[in-house]
Amino acid sequence: MLADVIDLLACPLCGARTHLAGGSVRCGSGHSFDVARQGYVNMLTRPAGTADTPDMVAARARFLDAGHYGPLARRLARLCAGAEVVADAGAGTGHYLAAALGDGAVGIALDVSKHALRRAARAHPRVGAVVADVWRPLPVGDDRVDVLLNVFAPRNAPEFARVLRPGGTLVVVTPGPGHLRPLVERLGLLSVDEDKERRLEESLGGAFTREGEETEEFALSLGHEEVGAVVGMGPSAWHTRPEELAAKIGDLPDPVEVSASFRVSRWAART
């Protein structure tokens, strides 16, 4: 796990290379970061923003592990084919990263939620899980990553460009306009921002050039428990009251037909 990626990591405080020493990750300058018994290392240098809660992580694990977003995972695996080092900024439980690793490839799961990384550390035998804030310097060395995944997660363009090797690829997944219909309307969930694509271009355009975009869309037939999981694993979990949500879900057909819609864009760092 961490041993497979330790040579790819860098101290978030000074940028020095790291090594494993007992139960910690250390750099040559003497900075030390504890490795949890679950296998992840916490390399936060200051308190971070909102992180996924244990309930959100559990909901995500139930939903993704059941294979509901399998077509998206397989598309990401195709885009990562041949990569030796894949990192995922906002990796969550490590589901997509684990699916993307080919023979001999290693992965770095980066997320601000230690609850998510407890699962990511076990998602694949060659994944190293690191608690990190995407808005701060990433604990990854310069030019180390072949493909960087960013699935429904914040983006730090300068840091993404720094860690990618020359010729590397940034793969960004954002929700399409029809994602999770009719649940959005029936349950009062957060809808996709109409300016999302413009904001994506603004956030990355200074450091990256868009190389292409694909759409992944498919239908899902979800029971009430699965509806609760897909709502509970996303941002709407912060904005819905459990008792009200349960009542609305109870009024849905069982199962209910739901649309999944994703935009998968590929970006190359500007030289």
Side-chain angles (χ1 to χ4, degrees):
M1 297 187 292
L2 283 173
D4 288 322
V5 303
I6 193 65
D7 290 340
L8 305 171
L9 302 182
C11 177
L13 293 170
C14 66
R17 299 189 70 164
T18 59
H19 62 277
L20 285 170
S24 63
V25 170
R26 298 181 184 178
C27 76
S29 299
H31 300 123
S32 181
F33 306 91
D34 292 337
V35 177
R37 60 182 177 82
Q38 294 90 350
Y40 66 87
V41 59
N42 190 336
M43 300 185 80
L44 287 177
T45 58
R46 64 176 65 178
T50 302
D52 287 351
T53 66
D55 286 345
M56 293 175 71
V57 171
R60 180 172 293 114
R62 289 197 306 274
F63 190 83
L64 296 181
D65 291 351
H68 295 300
Y69 285 175
L72 175 61
R74 290 188 287 274
R75 181 178 289 271
L76 294 179
R78 292 193 295 270
L79 292 174
C80 294
E84 296 180 358
V85 178
V86 182
D88 190 342
T93 63
H95 177 83
Y96 297 114
L97 179 59
L101 295 186
D103 293 341
V106 299
I108 307 171
L110 303 163
D111 201 281
V112 74
S113 171
K114 64 180 181 181
H115 306 294
L117 290 184
R118 288 172 181 168
R119 295 178 183 265
R122 305 191 303 269
H124 191 284
R126 295 191 304 278
V127 164
V130 183
V131 183
D133 185 354
V134 73
W135 298 118
R136 303 290 301 164
L138 297 176
V140 180
D142 296 353
D143 305 331
R144 301 293 176 88
V145 177
D146 296 308
V147 180
L148 178 61
L149 302 178
N150 180 253
V151 183
F152 286 25
R155 295 168 290 276
N156 184 336
E159 279 297 284
F160 288 2
R162 179 185 65 80
V163 303
L164 277 171
R165 288 173 176 161
T169 301
L170 169 65
V171 177
V172 178
V173 180
T174 55
H179 189 54
L180 294 186
R181 289 181 176 170
L183 299 184
V184 171
E185 297 84 1
R186 295 286 299 272
L187 302 181
L189 307 182
L190 297 177
S191 59
V192 177
D193 185 351
E194 294 182 358
D195 289 334
K196 195 171 189 66
E197 283 301 297
R198 177 185 60 79
R199 291 191 290 105
L200 174 62
E201 191 74 40
E202 288 180 352
S203 68
L204 295 177
F208 286 87
T209 300
R210 190 192 297 257
E211 291 192 317
E213 181 175 293
E214 306 162 0
T215 299
E216 185 71 54
E217 294 181 329
F218 48 92
L220 298 169
S221 183
L222 302 179
H224 285 182
E225 287 189 9
E226 296 160 323
V227 171
V230 76
V231 175
M233 76 183 201
S236 290
W238 299 103
H239 303 278
T240 54
R241 294 183 178 180
E243 61 278 6
E244 293 180 2
L245 177 63
K248 291 180 179 179
I249 291 176
D251 290 335
L252 295 173
D254 189 8
V256 58
E257 301 302 312
V258 178
S259 297
S261 177
F262 307 94
R263 287 173 171 161
V264 184
S265 54
R266 293 173 285 108
W267 304 75
R270 297 181 185 273
T271 56

